[in-house]
């Protein structure tokens, strides 16, 4: 149960003072009855709320799938670059009952693909916790083409795990076993050479793993988190809310 003034304030209807004015003006109903008391308690799972003639979709948490484009950063604010939050409609730029929207795992400025924005901190913690080992799959385009012998060498190294050297201020680490699948589609743009699934999330991990092999990542796109795949129908830089079935896939 939540107070009506808190719910409407968190759904973009201004401050609680603004909500009181709406109540006094007979603009708000719950299950067809006018509500005047800002402290009125309602069940966001069952009760039907209207403001004016519009029924309000009540939700505690928000789950958004974005197909992130390049040249935007996963930050709330950045003085130099556009952020993923700048791409959102104004209706999503407010505090929700579940809290503020945040990125469920970041992508580098030059990395595209699946990015989840949510207010569900518990789900984010569970998916990103090192103890969970949630898989993340990336489409990778490489600088150097590989022979069949080299592909076999890559597969053996990635399957076993290997040491990755230090980068700038980031310590070296042992990359845990991962899965690599080579793709033969050199005619496509951007060129994708393989799919790589990792089970951890070190700084610049995918790029550093291939650099350790003497190669360079020229294109990188996240296509899957856990059991949830990117909806390729979403244009780069656009987004949509997750369906209940997709939220369940993230929770598996």
């Amino acid at each position: 149960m939540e107070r009506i003034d808190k719910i409407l304030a968190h759904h973009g209807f201004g401050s609680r003072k603004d909500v009181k004015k709406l109540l006094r003006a007979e603009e708000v109903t719950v299950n067809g009855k006018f509500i005047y008391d800002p402290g009125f308690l309602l069940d966001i799972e069952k009760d039907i709320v209207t403001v004016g003639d519009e029924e309000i979709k009540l939700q505690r948490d928000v789950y958004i799938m974005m197909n992130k484009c390049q040249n935007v950063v996963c930050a709330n604010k950045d003085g130099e670059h556009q952020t993923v939050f700048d791409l959102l409609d104004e209706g999503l730029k407010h505090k929700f009952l579940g809290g503020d929207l945040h990125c469920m795992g970041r992508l580098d400025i030059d990395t595209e693909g699946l990015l989840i924005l949510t207010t569900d901190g518990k789900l984010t913690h569970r998916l990103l916790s090192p103890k969970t080992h949630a898989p993340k799959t990336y489409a990778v385009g490489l600088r150097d083409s590989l022979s069949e012998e080299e592909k076999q060498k890559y597969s053996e190294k990635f399957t076993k795990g290997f040491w990755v050297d230090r980068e700038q201020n980031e310590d070296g680490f042992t990359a845990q076993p991962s899965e690599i699948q080579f793709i033969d589609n050199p005619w496509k743009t951007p060129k994708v050479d393989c799919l790589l699934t990792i089970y951890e999330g070190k700084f610049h991990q995918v790029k550093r793993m291939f650099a350790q092999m003497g190669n360079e990542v020229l294109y990188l796109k996240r296509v899957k988190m856990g059991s949830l795949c990117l909806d390729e129908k979403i244009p780069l830089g656009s987004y949509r809310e997750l369906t209940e079935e997709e939220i369940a896939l993230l929770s598996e």
Side-chain angles (χ1 to χ4, degrees):
M1 305 294 289
E2 296 283 358
R3 288 172 56 110
I4 186 69
D5 58 351
K6 178 181 178 181
I7 288 174
L8 293 183
H10 282 77
H11 279 73
F13 288 93
S15 66
R16 295 201 185 190
K17 183 177 180 181
D18 295 326
V19 172
K20 287 181 180 179
K21 293 180 181 178
L22 285 176
L23 296 172
R24 289 197 298 266
E26 295 189 340
E27 291 288 337
V28 181
T29 68
V30 175
N31 302 324
K33 296 182 179 180
F34 288 114
I35 301 300
Y36 304 96
D37 180 8
F40 180 85
L41 296 176
L42 59 85
D43 186 336
I44 63 172
E45 301 293 336
K46 298 178 181 179
D47 292 330
I48 298 174
V49 178
T50 64
V51 177
D53 296 325
E54 178 185 0
E55 182 177 329
I56 306 304
K57 180 182 177 183
L58 300 179
Q59 52 191 144
R60 179 174 300 279
D61 286 304
V62 178
Y63 304 86
I64 293 170
M65 176 189 293
M66 177 179 287
N67 188 359
K68 180 188 171 296
C69 54
Q70 296 184 20
N71 299 318
V72 295
V73 296
C74 295
N76 290 323
K77 294 181 180 180
D78 189 282
E80 188 174 349
H81 301 98
Q82 188 178 30
T83 78
V84 294
F85 295 95
D86 293 330
L87 302 179
L88 300 177
D89 291 338
E90 288 299 322
L92 291 169
K93 296 179 181 180
H94 61 84
K95 191 177 183 69
F96 292 85
L97 289 173
D100 293 319
L101 276 173
H102 61 267
C103 296
M104 186 183 285
R106 296 171 180 266
L107 293 175
D108 295 340
I109 187 170
D110 57 352
T111 301
E112 299 177 356
L114 178 59
L115 181 67
I116 302 300
L117 302 171
T118 184
T119 57
D120 191 339
K122 290 183 179 180
L123 180 58
T124 297
H125 176 75
R126 192 183 70 77
L127 270 175
L128 300 186
S129 171
K131 298 179 181 178
T132 304
H133 302 295
K136 295 171 283 290
T137 301
Y138 295 83
V140 184
L142 297 172
R143 178 193 64 203
D144 302 330
S145 298
L146 303 176
S147 66
E148 291 303 316
E149 183 179 346
E150 289 171 322
K151 289 179 182 179
Q152 183 62 32
K153 178 182 177 181
Y154 274 62
S155 295
E156 291 175 357
K157 289 273 287 186
F158 280 73
T159 299
K160 293 179 181 178
F162 57 97
W163 176 256
V164 175
D165 288 337
R166 180 185 183 90
E167 178 182 279
Q168 299 175 9
N169 294 325
E170 298 293 326
D171 292 336
F173 65 96
T174 299
Q176 298 303 306
S178 55
E179 301 164 13
I180 190 168
Q181 175 188 354
F182 289 98
I183 299 172
D184 186 18
N185 67 343
W187 60 90
K188 289 190 176 181
T189 303
K191 181 170 74 77
V192 173
D193 295 284
C194 62
L195 296 176
L196 178 66
T197 300
I198 60 175
Y199 296 85
E200 53 191 334
K202 303 293 186 181
F203 179 74
H204 289 175
Q205 179 170 344
V206 175
K207 296 175 183 176
R208 293 168 69 185
M209 289 173 71
F210 283 99
Q212 191 71 28
M213 299 295 293
N215 214 325
E216 181 183 355
V217 173
L218 299 182
Y219 175 75
L220 190 60
K221 180 176 184 176
R222 185 158 64 195
V223 296
K224 189 175 182 181
M225 289 182 67
S227 299
L228 179 66
C229 294
L230 173 66
D231 181 354
E232 296 286 357
K233 295 179 182 178
I234 302 175
L236 279 171
S238 298
Y239 61 91
R240 66 165 172 79
E241 289 197 47
L242 292 180
T243 65
E244 292 185 5
E245 292 77 13
E246 289 170 332
I247 296 172
L249 286 176
L250 274 179
S251 303
E252 287 183 349

